[in-house]
């Protein structure tokens, strides 16, 4: 079976326009209803690396999150938004990036990045036991909302790498330091994804970022949303 990766033109972050472009992007995958059923606890995981203004193109744009919340709520999902920023608290980063206002307006919940749980996944290579945010265990469905960016260590950071943000606090930096061989770090990223089991990725590629990522590059207009249930296929595409 081949995987489906859907790419839709999205020329701006205008709220209504972006919502309709995301709806169109998900249509070839069966729409959001293929992933979210009424009453399910839906965990949305944007890239909230740090307290960067959305125009810097470092973090997932709040309009992308707003559209994903709307579509999940239309299907009857109960939405929580979570990430563990590289610097600063989730609350402070959410305010700086415009995410907090979107969460409040939608009646969604900002998760607790201090609550953690240890997961054991026998098939993992590096992280047989992983400490991740407890919100992963509490959710019925995990949907990841990555930002399309370059990365100084991994060359590229997209759908698969976005789940590194499920690792709490400073442990992310420790992994980057310990696993300086990119293939070893890639194995860890696959371990995290095998454990967290994201059901869907919707990538913010309206504006990407190129240069010394994950935060030191420049915005680059791409004009797209990209979605797939196969995160590796999305990243390859």
């Amino acid at each position: 079976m081949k995987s489906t990766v859907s790419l839709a033109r999205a020329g701006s972050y205008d709220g209504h326009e972006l919502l309709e472009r995301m709806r169109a992007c998900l249509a070839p995958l069966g729409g959001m209803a293929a992933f979210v059923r009424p009453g399910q606890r839906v965990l949305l995981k944007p890239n909230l690396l740090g307290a960067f203004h959305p125009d810097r193109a470092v973090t997932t744009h709040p309009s992308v999150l707003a559209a994903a919340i709307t579509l999940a709520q239309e299907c009857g999902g109960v939405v929580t938004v979570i990430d563990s920023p590289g610097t600063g608290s989730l609350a402070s980063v959410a305010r700086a990036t415009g995410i907090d206002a979107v969460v409040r307006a939608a009646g969604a919940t900002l998760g607790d990045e201090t609550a953690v749980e240890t997961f054991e996944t026998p098939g993992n290579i590096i992280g047989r036991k992983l400490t991740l945010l407890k919100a992963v265990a509490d959710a019925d469905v995990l949907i990841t909302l990555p930002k399309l960016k370059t990365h100084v260590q991994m060359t590229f950071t997209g759908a698969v790498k976005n789940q590194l943000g499920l690792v709490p606090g400073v442990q992310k930096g420790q992994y980057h330091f310990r696993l300086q061989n990119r293939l070893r770090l890639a194995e860890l990223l696959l371990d995290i994804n095998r454990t967290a089991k994201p059901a869907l990725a919707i990538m913010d590629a309206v504006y990407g970022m190129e240069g010394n990522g994950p935060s030191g590059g420049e915005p680059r207009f791409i004009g797209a949303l990209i979605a797939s249930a196969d995160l590796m296929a999305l990243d390859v595409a």
Side-chain angles (χ1 to χ4, degrees), residues 98-144:
I99 295 297
D100 183 63
V102 165
V103 171
R104 290 176 182 273
T109 301
L110 196 65
D112 179 5
E113 87 274 28
T114 67
V116 301
E117 186 162 320
T118 299
F119 299 78
E120 186 167 358
T121 307
N124 283 358
I125 295 173
I126 293 177
R128 297 285 181 91
K129 288 186 177 181
L130 289 169
T131 298
L132 303 177
L133 300 181
K134 186 176 181 295
V136 174
D138 295 338
D140 297 310
V141 182
L142 169 61
I143 297 174
T144 188

Side-chain angles (χ1 to χ4, degrees), residues 22 72 175:
M22 186 177 291
Y175 277 133

Side-chain angles (χ1 to χ4, degrees), residues 36 45-46 51 58 60 69 84-85 115 123 169 179-180 193 211 217:
V36 177
K45 199 285 179 195
V58 174
T60 303
I69 292 175
S84 178
L179 303 173
Q180 295 191 32
N193 278 270

